[in-house]
Amino acid sequence: MRAEILDGRKVAAQVKAALKEEVTQLKGRGLTPGLAVILVGDDPASQVYVGNKEKACRAVGIASFPHRLPAATGEEHLLQLIGRLNADPAVHGILVQLPLPRQLDANRVIQAIDPAKDVDGFHPVNAGRLAAGLPAFVPCTPQGVMHLLAAYNIPVAGRHAVVVGRSNIVGKPLVQLLLAADATVTVCHSKTRDLAAFTRTADILVAAVGRPRLITRDMVKPGAVVVDVGINRLPEGLVGDVDFEAVREVARYITPVPGGVGPLTIAMLLKNTLAAALAGRGGGPRGE
Ligand code: NAD
């Protein structure tokens, strides 16, 4: 069996086309959704991510407010900027690109963002709401994974999902979303013993680790759905956490890197920003 590719670019383009229509209508009613994007320092990968996010905003008509700060920025300065953006009615979403330079405490910075503008869904209020099954801003990458599965009508309820990685940004919120979708969920991490014994039992296997080709063919059950969140920069280019060519021979579905989960991440950011703008009009944050 050769796996079918889960085409993230195609699905993201569909999401963005629908969002563009909604944004156009909203603008006609006098409201332009706005996203403030803060980048501290000059990390090359972060610059690419931030540039892509701003470009995607423009493409659907969302206003983007870029804030580029020098690597030596002090915490007080950054917190003051976030305070001003919290109070700015033209700004509906605030995104602080991670990782931050060492002198800045990412937890304190994230907690300074108004949860109603936390379109990345990293604020503990949103993480807690998600865990409690309440409407919340859901982190974009795990939300994108769920959207991709839904776009291909891949059933989740009752299936065994194994998530490799337990970060606050990807693994943990994805566990919550899979549970909410009635999967039986196992979460593996750096201290898991005999990772393959777990991954081999997965109907849906998600790798969110950051180790090139960690998931090899012998670790995948024939017919499984394999979602590769990893982005690893190697001399030969970008690769995921999954040995794509070999795993493709046994899986039923697989995401490529690039062109899988990444484009959905950005599409979900735009979706969250639109939801934040609508919530400011008396709605509420819409979870997935
Ligand atoms: P992280 O470093 O915060 O977390 C990595 C996780 O992997 C940890 O929970 C750790 O316990 C686990 N881990 C490490 N080594 C392991 C091993 N040998 N076996 C099993 N588990 C192991 O990373 P993150 O922020 O969650 O990102 C993970 C990957 O996803 C990275 O490659 C990152 O670049 C990528 N990413 C992609 C997108 C996207 O849009 N596609 C978005 C966010 C992150």
Side-chain angles (χ1 to χ4, degrees), residues 141 164-167 170 189-190 195 208-211 214 229-232 261-262 265:
T141 300
V164 189
R166 57 170 163 186
S167 70
V170 188
H189 47 77
S190 54
L195 179 63
V209 177
R211 297 274 154 102
L214 174 75
V229 177
I231 301 176
N232 305 290
V261 175
T265 295

Side-chain angles (χ1 to χ4, degrees), residues 242-287:
V242 175
D243 186 355
F244 179 82
E245 287 304 335
V247 171
R248 197 179 171 187
E249 298 303 324
V250 290
R252 171 73 185 84
Y253 290 100
I254 191 167
T255 61
V257 176
V261 175
L264 263 303
T265 295
I266 294 191
M268 295 302 115
L269 172 68
L270 305 176
K271 191 162 174 259
N272 281 353
T273 304
L274 179 60
L278 289 169
R281 283 225 157 161
R286 302 180 303 185

Side-chain angles (χ1 to χ4, degrees), residues 177-193:
L177 293 173
L178 287 163
L179 279 177
D182 295 327
T184 300
V185 185
T186 300
V187 55
C188 299
H189 47 77
S190 54
K191 300 289 188 290
T192 297
R193 290 185 196 163

Side-chain angles (χ1 to χ4, degrees), residues 16 43 107 119 133 150 246:
K16 286 195 263 187
D43 176 66
N107 282 324
V119 285

